[in-house]
Structures are given as C-alpha cells and as structure tokens.
Amino acid sequence: MENNPVNFKSIRDFGEIFNSTFTFIGEEFKPLGKAILLYAMPFLIIASIIGVVFGIQSQQLMNSYNLQNSTDLSESLSMVGQAYKYIFLMMMIYMVGMSVLQCTIMGYIKLYIEKGKGNFTTEEVWNEVKSRIFPVLGISLICFILIIIGTIFCIIPGIILAVSLSLILPAYFYEQKGFGNSFNRSFQLTAQKWWLTFGLMIVSYILVYMISLLLSIPSMLMGFKTLFALASHAEVHISTGYYILNSITQLVTYVLISIPLIILIFNYFSLVELKDRPSLQEKIDQIS
C-alpha cells in the first residue's frame, strides 16, 4: 500500500480539520493506539480501579447513615475521610495519566512530521513524552485554574479563556518555548480564527460526550435500582459489576479525549501556517 502521510502543515477550514483528524486516526490507529496503551493507559487504569474502590466506600458510607444509630459521629467522619482520600488519589493519578496521554499524542505527531509516517518507534515516542510530562501537567493545571476563575466571575470570560488557551499545549510542545511565550502564542493564533476554534471545541467535545453517553447506557440501566433504594430510604446494594462497568466506560471516555486534542493540533498547525507561512519559507529555502 502506498505511503501517503497526512500533511499537518496546511491551512484547513472546519470540515477539512475534521476530515484530516479522522483520516489520521484511521491510518495511525494501531501504532498510536499501541503508544497510548503502553504509556498512558496504565495510569488511567489505576485511576479507574481507585474509582471502583471509592464507589464501594461511598456505598458503605450511605448505608451507615441509612441505618439509624448504627454508627456514631466520629465513625461516620472517619468513613468520609477514608472515602475521599480515594477520590483525591484517583484525581492525582488521573491528571498525571491525562498529561501522559497528551504528551504521547503530541510526541507521536511531532515524530510523524519530522521523520515521516512509519519511520519511528514507540520508544522514540516515550523519549518525547518523558521530558515533558510534568511541564504539560503544570501548564494544564494553571490553565484549568484560570478558566475556573473566569467562569466563577462570569461564564463568558471562562469560555473566552478556554478557547484562547486551547492551543497552549501544542505551542509549548512544538515550539519548545516557556509558559509565558506559549500563553501569548495561543492567544495570538486563536485570535485569527477564534470562532473556528470555538466551533471545533464545541463539536468535538459534544461528539465525545455523545459516544460516552451511548457507552454508559448499560451502567445507567444497572444503576436504576439504586435510585429506587435511595427514594425509599432502603439500604443501598450496588453490585461490584456496576462500578467496574462504570469505570470501564470512564476509561474509554478518557481515551476518547484524544479526538478533540488531535483536532486542536490540526487547528494549531493550520493557524501557524495562516500566520507565519513556515512551509512556504521552507520551500523558498530549499530553492535558494
């Protein structure tokens, strides 16, 4: 089969970005999936397992409140502390896992552009990932805090910040600049096509939400009896299978976040081409 790599360095419109994204995912599903499975999935699986433990602990806590005079206040508070230490640990591992996932995808695409399709190994992807895991995690946390603050004051500033900062990670990863320069670069690039970027984010995240909603139907059906138990103030008995199934759904959703990230990476390169024309300059340099 002829080797036809996807050209990232091209100006694209809304539809072309989506088409290129799914073309790239379709062609690179196995090697990219292998890299994600090796490097990001272990963290996300551990976070999901902790989520199962948290669910079971929460069930025990609810039952302790439903049984009158069965536990004293100190014991109940102790159970709350034990339950929520699991969710804190889960969130910490999840954030590291998402950082690894983001770095894996961006590192894979970096090598794809520099070395060509099929001309690099998963070990080389890991070399790209391991040096940027914690900077990417730090940048993500800072941006998250800024967006939350903007949303608290008013929803619109939060939305504006979310869109304007959507390209900060690609700018950091591909231009190898510090946080401040990447921050400014993201604002400069998105300012050219702010509504395009906004539309890409909305549509891509709705797509992920709809897929995850369909995947969650089995666990939702299993959880209906829990609602009846809560309504009747009966003791809650949720099967371990429900928590496992729910965690698997969440795990798949985590991986589906790859789709909006790849869409934003295509948008990043498109806006870079629109602003700086680097590929045109490369052709001129080759001629001279």
Side-chain angles (χ1 to χ4, degrees), residues 182-196:
S182 300
F183 184 94
N184 293 333
R185 181 68 160 163
S186 183
F187 269 82
Q188 292 168 2
L189 292 174
T190 54
Q192 301 175 107
K193 297 279 186 178
W194 194 92
W195 285 105
L196 171 66

Side-chain angles (χ1 to χ4, degrees), residues 155-214:
I155 295 175
I156 293 176
I159 294 173
I160 293 172
L161 279 171
V163 175
S164 298
L165 291 172
S166 63
L167 303 183
I168 190 170
L169 290 181
Y172 166 76
F173 205 97
Y174 298 118
E175 300 183 22
Q176 298 183 8
K177 297 179 180 179
F179 173 78
N181 289 328
S182 300
F183 184 94
N184 293 333
R185 181 68 160 163
S186 183
F187 269 82
Q188 292 168 2
L189 292 174
T190 54
Q192 301 175 107
K193 297 279 186 178
W194 194 92
W195 285 105
L196 171 66
T197 305
F198 176 73
L200 290 170
M201 292 177 68
I202 290 293
V203 174
S204 62
Y205 281 108
I206 287 176
L207 175 64
V208 170
Y209 173 76
M210 294 302 295
I211 296 173
S212 64
L213 190 63
L214 289 173

